[in-house]
């Protein structure tokens, strides 16, 4: 199923992709008042497996809670709707996009009289940062745009409005010839990419910024903690100064779309040996073996549909 085809789950019913419409005066269109998720479903030898579905739906509900959005279903029901949408579209490998938003009602900033609408769409989405990025790595810049300061836009919520900041980071990076941009937090420490968490390896230890560095706490990031511990690798949450990225041995991104992507250049400075490093590769191998059904799923990441 390519983007633009198939059925979309819309408030409890399946509608054709082209009929899934909302009013232009919906609250979310004007004020970014929605929360969403990005989830991958992998086809492997045993069937189609959704990666960490319950964790993604939990984060969706937590994002909604922060913004006082009441989702009219249980988390368990919502997980089932995601599975139903994949099945309905007869697609065995896809990206799943649930979104819950404030719809058409009134247009004041106060959203309390607007209805809550829920949508789940699925489509095939290849390698987010380019076809050979997983092996060759990507070239990034430090963005001139910062992540939002604490107590401004909550970074723990995956809210639609947050991505207007991500767009500034991504547009600037692409315009200047980079694959992606990394933003610093308001204190000048490394935060994250426009849609990925960042990890740094130095002297055999893996570091990643803590949640108070204005990051989205990634589900893939959490999986990397599980993988690293299982591989007996030391991993720590630590504030990271910008220049530490330049002198790192290895860098990599994590994210649902980006999966685990090596970063080989930062601001035109070659990181380590300028290619995917051995620790990055061992974490990547572990991740892909599990999602491809070639290794035991000991952390119960996969929900077969
Ligand atoms: N940070 C941001 C800003 C993101 O958009 C994403 C993608 N959801 C991530 C980090 C990575 O999160 P996850 O591993 O849950 O996809």
């Amino acid at each position: 199923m390519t983007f633009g085809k198939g059925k979309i789950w819309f408030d409890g019913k399946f509608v054709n992709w082209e009929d899934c419409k909302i009013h232009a005066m919906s609250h979310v269109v004007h004020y970014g008042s929605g929360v969403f998720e990005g989830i991958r479903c992998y086809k492997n030898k045993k069937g189609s497996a959704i990666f960490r579905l319950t964790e993604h739906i939990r984060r969706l509900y937590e994002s909604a809670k922060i913004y006082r959005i009441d989702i009219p279903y249980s988390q368990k029901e919502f997980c089932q709707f995601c599975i139903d949408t994949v099945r309905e579209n007869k697609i065995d490998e896809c990206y799943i996009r649930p979104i819950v938003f404030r719809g058409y009602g009134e247009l004041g900033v106060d959203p309390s009289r607007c209805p809550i609408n829920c949508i789940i769409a699925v489509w095939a989405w290849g390698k987010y940062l380019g076809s050979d990025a997983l092996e060759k790595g990507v070239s990034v810049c430090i963005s001139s745009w910062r992540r939002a300061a604490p107590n401004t836009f909550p970074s723990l919520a995956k809210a639609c409005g947050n991505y207007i900041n991500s767009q500034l980071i991504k547009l600037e990076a692409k315009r200047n010839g980079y694959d992606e941009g990394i933003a610093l937090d308001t204190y000048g420490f490394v935060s994250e990419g426009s849609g990925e968490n960042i990890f740094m390896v130095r002297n055999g230890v893996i570091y990643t910024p803590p949640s108070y560095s204005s990051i989205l706490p990634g589900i893939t990031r959490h999986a990397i903690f599980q993988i690293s511990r299982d591989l007996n690798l030391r991993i720590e949450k630590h504030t990271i100064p910008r220049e530490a990225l330049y002198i790192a041995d290895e860098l990599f991104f994590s994210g649902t779309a980006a999966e685990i992507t090596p970063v080989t250049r930062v601001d035109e400075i070659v990181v380590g040996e300028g290619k995917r490093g051995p620790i990055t590769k061992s974490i990547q191998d572990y991740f892909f073996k599990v999602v491809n059904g070639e290794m035991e799923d000991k952390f119960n990441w996969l929900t077969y549909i």
Side-chain angles (χ1 to χ4, degrees), residues 67-297:
Y67 282 98
R68 298 165 193 264
I69 292 174
D70 286 322
I71 305 178
Y73 311 102
S74 68
Q75 292 190 36
K76 204 164 163 231
E77 285 171 326
F78 213 106
C79 287
Q80 188 58 47
F81 300 149
C82 291
I83 295 170
D84 295 345
T85 309
V86 177
R87 283 198 185 129
E88 178 75 17
N89 282 283
K90 300 185 177 54
I91 185 168
D92 44 23
E93 186 155 64
C94 59
Y95 182 86
I96 307 169
R97 166 58 55 84
I99 175 165
V100 176
F101 57 92
R102 297 196 188 270
Y104 179 59
E106 288 183 359
L107 211 56
V109 170
D110 176 4
S112 43
R113 291 165 77 95
C114 296
I116 305 296
N117 297 121
C118 305
I119 287 175
I120 306 167
V122 301
W123 67 93
W125 202 358
K127 300 301 168 200
Y128 180 65
L129 292 172
S131 55
D132 52 4
L134 292 178
E135 202 189 317
K136 299 254 168 65
V138 292
S139 164
V140 309
C141 61
I142 302 297
S143 183
S144 68
W145 295 100
R146 297 273 173 108
R147 274 308 199 198
N151 216 20
T152 60
F153 296 86
S155 76
L156 303 191
K158 190 168 171 67
C160 299
N162 287 1
Y163 285 79
I164 200 87
N165 170 261
S166 288
Q167 288 171 52
L168 291 171
I169 296 163
K170 188 79 179 180
L171 283 169
E172 182 188 56
K174 297 295 273 188
R175 177 169 281 257
N176 292 323
Y178 299 97
D179 300 306
E180 184 56 288
I182 293 174
L184 305 179
D185 68 14
T186 190
Y187 305 107
F189 291 107
V190 172
S191 179
E192 60 180 349
S194 72
E196 308 87 6
N197 294 116
I198 181 91
F199 288 79
M200 175 182 99
V201 180
R202 188 167 162 86
N203 297 331
V205 182
I206 306 166
Y207 301 92
T208 196
S211 54
Y212 56 78
S213 285
S214 297
I215 63 160
L216 178 76
I219 312 278
T220 322
R221 173 179 178 271
H222 181 260
I224 286 166
F225 277 85
Q226 295 175 311
I227 295 173
S228 303
R229 288 178 183 141
D230 205 39
L231 293 174
N232 283 322
L233 295 166
R234 224 174 105 198
I235 181 158
E236 291 180 10
K237 294 172 192 154
H238 212 289
T239 41
I240 298 177
R242 169 183 186 154
E243 64 276 19
L245 301 183
Y246 301 150
I247 57 172
D249 299 328
E250 299 178 33
L251 288 181
F252 60 90
F253 278 138
S254 76
T256 299
E259 297 166 308
I260 296 165
T261 299
V263 175
T264 48
R265 281 169 178 266
V266 180
D267 293 340
E268 304 292 356
I269 296 176
V270 173
V271 177
E273 310 233 313
K275 54 182 195 194
R276 176 174 62 185
I279 291 185
T280 307
K281 178 153 192 317
S282 63
I283 293 173
Q284 257 188 349
D285 286 349
Y286 189 119
F287 176 84
F288 284 111
K289 275 187 185 151
V290 177
V291 299
N292 290 331
E294 293 157 7
M295 209 167 112
E296 185 201 346
D297 176 21

